[in-house]
Amino acid sequence: QVCSGSHASSPLVSVVWKQQHNAMERSSDQTLLGEIEVHFLSGSSLRMPINAGQITEDLVMDVCKLKPAPPGMRLQLMHSSGCLHGGESLKEYVGGSLSALFTTIPLSEDARRLLSRCTLQVPEEGHIKLLEVSFSLNIHQAGVLAELALQLQPCRLIIEYATQTSMHSFVLALNQELTALEVLRLHNIEKSSLSAVSKLVSRCPALHHCYLRSSSGQDPLDAPDVQRLRAETKAVVVI
């Protein structure tokens, strides 16, 4: 209740004013400026609506929702003078056209070194469908492997030494989904790693087979060990 005759704003009035002000700002941000036509090398094109305040990064995200970038690639938008930068305003390009080009995502030096140990392919040759890690991973390498897997989006991933430390570090660094991963093989796995495996599997929407093999010096995995994992995924879990 607001007291009459008082010039001081109550907390309620202040909150309502802020909500109305924020709503007006959002409304102005959604003002349609026009369209930009985005052309691809294949000859296809998209007409994209542009609102006030939108920047290149927003347009890239909207285009990729309609035409996703191939694994290991990113979308770049070009105009007659060069590339558009992520924070660049789109206002001056409204009513015109831009060229769209999918380019290879640059890998860090650590990621390139690790990649050379996991496959004979390089990203420039096309989609790398298999990553096979046949060596032990330390904490740093497990994080680099996550970077590599996210950028390359392989269909198959084999980790020969899926220890508790490496798996937890790998999953911790995995901040997006592995959308193309269909087959996962984890060898020399420890029972203490299963919680990390569960998190990993939850980030692989296309996964249809998960193979788990314990090391010879440990108790073998049995059905009760993976009961929860099997309940949480549609993939076939093989032990």
Side-chain angles (χ1 to χ4, degrees), residues 30 38 40 46 48-49 51 54 56-70 73-75 77 100 102:
Q30 294 302 310
V38 179
F40 294 87
L46 296 170
M48 304 299 296
N51 296 320
Q54 279 193 295
T56 301
E57 185 178 357
D58 299 324
L59 180 56
V60 167
M61 291 177 62
D62 290 342
V63 170
C64 285
K65 289 176 184 176
L66 300 173
K67 193 175 181 67
M73 309 287 278
R74 64 177 177 180
L75 177 67
L77 297 175
F102 290 114

Side-chain angles (χ1 to χ4, degrees), residues 154-186:
C155 298
R156 298 170 60 204
L157 175 62
I158 302 173
I159 301 179
E160 185 65 29
Y161 298 96
T163 64
Q164 179 185 10
T165 301
S166 62
M167 290 306 300
H168 279 280
S169 300
F170 177 67
V171 172
L172 188 64
L174 206 64
N175 53 16
Q176 297 178 45
E177 290 186 340
L178 297 177
T179 56
L181 194 66
E182 298 177 349
V183 178
L184 175 65
R185 290 182 178 271
L186 303 174

Side-chain angles (χ1 to χ4, degrees), residues 7-226:
H7 295 289
S9 297
S10 72
L12 176 59
V13 172
S14 178
V15 169
V16 171
W17 182 86
K18 287 180 180 178
Q19 289 176 340
Q20 291 174 338
H21 179 69
N22 291 340
M24 291 175 64
E25 284 189 335
R26 287 194 298 270
S27 177
S28 64
D29 287 344
Q30 294 302 310
T31 302
L32 183 65
L33 298 179
E35 294 181 328
I36 292 177
E37 192 161 2
V38 179
H39 296 278
F40 294 87
L41 292 178
S42 62
S44 62
S45 63
L46 296 170
R47 297 183 68 87
M48 304 299 296
I50 304 300
N51 296 320
Q54 279 193 295
I55 58 177
T56 301
E57 185 178 357
D58 299 324
L59 180 56
V60 167
M61 291 177 62
D62 290 342
V63 170
C64 285
K65 289 176 184 176
L66 300 173
K67 193 175 181 67
M73 309 287 278
R74 64 177 177 180
L75 177 67
Q76 284 193 327
L77 297 175
M78 316 277 292
H79 57 84
S80 57
S81 302
C83 293
L84 272 71
H85 301 291
E88 189 173 347
S89 172
L90 295 171
K91 186 176 180 179
E92 65 177 284
Y93 302 106
V94 171
S97 63
L98 297 172
S99 298
L101 182 66
F102 290 114
T103 61
T104 304
I105 297 174
L107 296 173
S108 68
E109 195 59 37
D110 285 347
R112 281 204 170 271
R113 279 198 295 267
L114 188 67
L115 178 63
S116 67
R117 301 178 66 187
C118 299
T119 179
L120 296 177
Q121 290 182 272
V122 292
E124 291 76 12
E125 295 176 349
H127 185 201
I128 297 176
K129 295 185 177 182
L130 169 64
L131 287 180
E132 184 172 3
V133 187
S134 58
F135 48 89
S136 298
L137 293 168
N138 58 35
I139 293 176
H140 174 69
Q141 289 173 326
V144 175
L145 178 62
E147 173 197 341
L148 202 56
L150 286 172
Q151 292 195 18
L152 300 181
Q153 293 290 340
C155 298
R156 298 170 60 204
L157 175 62
I158 302 173
I159 301 179
E160 185 65 29
Y161 298 96
T163 64
Q164 179 185 10
T165 301
S166 62
M167 290 306 300
H168 279 280
S169 300
F170 177 67
V171 172
L172 188 64
L174 206 64
N175 53 16
Q176 297 178 45
E177 290 186 340
L178 297 177
T179 56
L181 194 66
E182 298 177 349
V183 178
L184 175 65
R185 290 182 178 271
L186 303 174
H187 300 164
N188 293 294
I189 195 167
E190 302 168 350
K191 292 185 179 182
S192 55
S193 304
L194 290 175
S195 61
V197 174
S198 179
K199 292 178 182 178
L200 172 57
V201 167
S202 71
R203 296 175 189 176
C204 305
L207 191 71
H208 57 69
H209 278 84
C210 176
Y211 297 90
L212 306 176
R213 189 177 72 193
S214 55
S215 62
S216 56
Q218 295 183 354
D219 293 335
L221 294 173
D222 50 31
D225 294 324
V226 297

Side-chain angles (χ1 to χ4, degrees), residues 1-10 13:
Q1 191 174 22
V2 181
C3 297
S4 60
S6 172
H7 295 289
S9 297
S10 72
V13 172

